[in-house]
Amino acid sequence: MQTTTAMTAGSQTDLLTGILNVQIRNEEKITEQDRRYCQRQQELLYKTLDQIDKWYAIFREDAERYREEKKFTYEDNGKISIRNFHFNYNEKEDYTHNEFKPFDIINELVDSNCNANANFANRIVSYFNKTYNVAVPVPEIDGKTLRMGFRPVYETYVDAVIEHLGGKSFRETAEEELLARFLKTAQPSRWSKVKPELKNDRIILPNILRFDDFYIQHCQQYHLCYSYDGNLENICEGVAYGADDILNGSSKIIMGFDSHDVDISQWYNLTLSNAEQIKFYKNGRIDIRFKDGQTAGNCYRRLRLDEITLPED
C-alpha cells in the first residue's frame, strides 16, 4: 500500500511538472475572432501571391531567350540585373530588337510580391493595434532578400504582437501606452514655468497647442498647426480615459470642433459623461471642465498629472 501511494504521488508530481512546463502558443492567446481575421487575410494573400508567381514564371521563362545577349543575372529577391543594356541594332539582321522584353515586368512582379507581403504584415499588426488600442510597431519587409514564392504565416506577426505586450494583457499595455503619450504631451518643456493644474472642477493644461500665425493675421481664424494635431489627439485620448475609462478617445469627443477654425471665445461640449467641456486659448492652453471637483481630481490623479514636476522643483 505504501508503495502504491508513493507511486501515485510521484505520478501526480510528474504530471503537474509536465503541465507547468507546457508552453502556451501565442496563437492561443488571441480570440477566435482574431484568429478568423488573420486566417482570412492569409488566404487572400496566398491567392494574390499565387497569381504573381504564375506570371513571374511565364515572363522569367521568356526572359531566358536573352540571357546570353543581355548578360543578365538574378538577384536574391528574383529581380533581373542586366549588364548589357543595349542591343547593337547595326548588327541585327532581323527585328528582334523591337520585340517585347519581359525584364521590367519581371522586376515589377518582384516589387508586387514585396508590397503584398508588406501589406499583409501591416494589416495583421494594425488589426490588433486598432482592436485593442495598442501601438505594436509594424515589422519591415526587406525587399532585397524576400524571395519569390515565399509564403508568410500570420502566426509570425501574432508572435510580434504578443512579444510587444511583454507578458501584460492587451488592456494593461493599452493603458500604459496611452498614459505615456498623454504625459509626454502634457509634460512642460524645460523652459516652462507652469505645469498642469487642478483648479476646482477644471484641469488646466498649458502650452499644448499652437495656432498658425498666417491664418490669425490674414483670415482672423485660429487654424491649428498641422504638427500639433497629434498633441490634441493625445490630450483627448487621455481625458476620455481618465474621465470615462475609454481607451479609444480622440478629438471626435469635441462636439462641433473644426481644427481649421477653432473658436477660442467659447467652451466646446464633450461627448463624455464625466468631462463636460473643453476650452482653447490663443496661447495654446487647454482647459477641461468636469461635472464636479471630485471627478476632476480623480481624473487628474489617474492621468498622473500630480506626478509632474518642473526642473527646479
Side-chain angles (χ1 to χ4, degrees):
M1 180 65 67
Q2 292 178 348
T3 302
T4 303
T5 303
M7 290 180 61
T8 302
S11 299
Q12 290 176 342
T13 301
D14 292 341
L15 178 60
L16 179 59
T17 301
I19 293 175
L20 293 176
N21 286 336
V22 171
Q23 294 184 351
I24 299 177
R25 293 187 307 159
N26 286 333
E27 187 190 5
E28 297 173 0
K29 298 178 182 178
I30 62 177
T31 68
E32 181 59 31
Q33 181 178 344
D34 298 337
R35 192 174 297 107
R36 285 199 300 269
Y37 174 85
C38 294
Q39 290 172 343
R40 177 58 176 162
Q41 289 300 313
Q42 184 168 299
E43 291 170 1
L44 293 173
L45 173 69
Y46 285 8
K47 181 179 179 180
T48 293
L49 292 181
D50 288 344
Q51 194 261 8
I52 292 174
D53 285 347
K54 169 189 171 182
W55 287 108
Y56 180 83
I58 293 173
F59 285 116
R60 175 164 175 161
E61 181 179 359
D62 186 60
E64 289 300 316
R65 295 188 296 134
Y66 304 98
R67 181 184 282 273
E68 289 301 320
E69 187 173 10
K70 300 299 288 182
K71 307 298 182 184
F72 67 78
T73 58
Y74 289 98
E75 299 176 5
D76 290 341
N77 59 4
K79 281 190 173 183
I80 284 182
S81 178
I82 300 177
R83 297 178 184 176
N84 181 14
F85 289 93
H86 305 286
F87 287 95
N88 191 340
Y89 298 147
N90 295 329
E91 296 179 2
K92 283 287 184 181
E93 296 180 356
D94 55 22
Y95 297 91
T96 55
H97 57 282
N98 295 123
E99 292 178 355
F100 165 78
K101 309 300 187 303
F103 310 126
D104 290 340
I105 298 297
I106 287 175
N107 290 345
E108 288 179 12
L109 287 168
V110 172
D111 288 335
S112 295
N113 178 69
C114 179
N115 290 337
N117 275 272
N119 287 339
F120 177 66
N122 181 72
R123 287 188 182 185
I124 297 299
V125 175
S126 295
Y127 165 83
F128 286 98
N129 285 342
K130 183 176 181 180
T131 302
Y132 297 104
N133 298 288
V134 292
V136 183
V138 177
E140 293 186 5
I141 304 300
D142 188 352
K144 293 183 179 180
T145 59
L146 180 68
R147 293 181 179 275
M148 296 297 295
F150 174 74
R151 294 293 182 271
V153 292
Y154 73 83
E155 290 89 347
T156 300
Y157 302 112
V158 170
D159 288 347
V161 171
I162 300 303
E163 182 180 352
H164 177 81
L165 301 181
K168 301 182 180 68
S169 68
F170 280 107
R171 174 77 189 196
E172 291 171 329
T173 303
E175 289 179 352
E176 288 185 3
E177 292 177 345
L178 182 154
L179 285 171
R181 290 190 295 270
F182 176 83
L183 288 172
K184 183 177 180 180
T185 302
Q187 177 69 45
S189 68
R190 58 181 178 176
W191 301 283
S192 177
K193 300 299 181 182
V194 290
K195 60 183 180 180
E197 179 185 358
L198 173 64
K199 188 174 183 179
N200 300 323
D201 63 347
R202 303 181 190 180
I203 290 178
I204 301 171
L205 302 169
N207 303 317
I208 299 298
L209 305 178
R210 179 172 295 177
F211 297 103
D212 194 314
D213 290 335
F214 175 85
Y215 286 91
I216 295 175
Q217 295 174 9
H218 299 280
C219 305
Q220 287 75 53
Q221 288 182 340
Y222 287 88
H223 185 289
L224 182 62
C225 291
Y226 176 76
S227 58
Y228 282 79
D229 283 345
N231 280 14
L232 179 60
E233 295 303 321
N234 292 340
I235 292 301
C236 291
E237 183 184 38
V239 171
Y241 168 71
D244 283 16
D245 199 35
I246 295 173
L247 287 177
N248 61 344
S250 69
S251 60
K252 293 181 180 180
I253 66 173
I254 309 174
M255 301 174 64
F257 179 76
D258 180 1
S259 64
H260 299 299
D261 188 10
V262 180
D263 188 345
I264 64 171
S265 66
Q266 68 164 348
W267 287 84
Y268 286 89
N269 291 328
L270 300 176
T271 60
L272 305 174
S273 299
N274 294 309
E276 298 181 338
Q277 294 180 310
I278 187 170
K279 190 174 190 304
F280 301 94
Y281 295 83
K282 182 178 180 179
N283 63 1
R285 166 181 154 185
I286 295 177
D287 285 10
I288 301 100
R289 177 184 286 162
F290 296 80
K291 66 179 184 179
D292 53 48
Q294 181 178 354
T295 304
N298 291 339
C299 182
Y300 188 81
R301 288 181 289 273
R302 188 177 194 190
L303 294 176
R304 301 177 186 171
L305 291 171
D306 55 324
E307 300 176 12
I308 291 180
T309 59
L310 297 176
E312 63 269 25
D313 286 354

